[in-house]
Amino acid sequence: HFAGDTLDIGVDSAVVGDMKISKGRFVLDHVIAPDIISKADITLHLNGRLTSVFSYIAAEPISIDAQKIGIETGRMKGMADLDVGISFPATRDLLVKEVVVKVSGPVRDALLPHVLKTMDLTGDSLMLSVDGGMAGLKGRGKLDGSDIDFEWKQYLESAGKPFSSRITASGTGDDALRGKLGFGLERWMKGALPVKITYTEYEGQRSEILVDADAGKAMLMIPPLDYTKPAGQAASVKCKVILHNGFLAEVGDLEVKSADLDLKGGHLLFGAGDALRSLQIAHAKVQENDGVLDLQEDDAGALTLSFKGDFFDARPFLAKHKKIKDELYTIISEHSGQSK
């Protein structure tokens, strides 16, 4: 109907491709008034295949490209039941940034390919949203077969935004999952452990992973200190992992706590092949060692060590073979007036 210079059209039901539309409404204000730009408001309920929904919202005036926000539609599966709202000025030269889109609703039996690097996300019931220029998905599902609770956010246009995409997840991370994320750290950690991560991608091929893990079930190693925490001994790990072009570059804000290990203010730099270049720890308590640690390693594996503290056991750095260790123990025993 038309009343008060406003056109209002309702749609009880319709079909677009294989999608069912219900509860549709189109409102256009200031239809006749001169020198006033009309505003169009469209609301509707969509039910259909997820691939069809993304094809629909990719067209103008919505213009949400699934590929552009990091979703591959080729192997996508799922059924969507969405409320959609669209508003825009009714002008001939309409800009994408002038279109306001809101989408919300469940997606059932979903498969989203390569949501995180090469890993697929599946879920029986996930909540999809688009609001404020950002697409989102949250719920409980499986990331490459591993159970996770997650929330994914992606800017539709990331230029000038604080980040491009972000995934917050909690679940169990094992060696294979850490490798797929780009920070295997096989020399430093082995085994599955409950973990909370926030994975953020920025422009310029830079990624950041905030890690908060219960490492009790995992084995932790510090090769330069010849230290190993066995699996089954309580421990916690917090850190920030930085990736450049998908490769491990550094680990910062490192905190590790166990019965005989307390590290705070740790910062590690890595080279090609995840090779350690430097390690600085503001507070390093490893067994009997307690102080400030600075370690540099060159291409040949030679170590340059600086340690400030009341006590330091240098044997792990000087003795990489049992024969040398035995000789050092003999020297220490003789110096202290004891014999082996």
Side-chain angles (χ1 to χ4, degrees), residues 28 66 84 132 157 217 240 247 252 258 297 303 320:
L28 183 66
V84 180
E157 294 289 341
K217 295 181 179 180
K240 178 171 66 177
F247 295 100
S258 70
E297 184 171 349
L303 300 176
K320 291 190 176 182

Side-chain angles (χ1 to χ4, degrees), residues 7 54-56 58 60 65 71 73 95 113 136 141 158 193 216 226 240-241 249 262 279 297 299 304 332 335-336:
L7 178 65
F54 272 101
S55 295
Y56 176 79
E60 295 182 354
D65 187 341
I71 297 178
T73 57
L95 301 177
S158 60
L193 64 163
D226 200 23
K240 178 171 66 177
V241 179
D262 188 6
L279 180 153
E297 184 171 349
D299 294 335
T304 302
I332 293 170
H335 182 73
S336 61

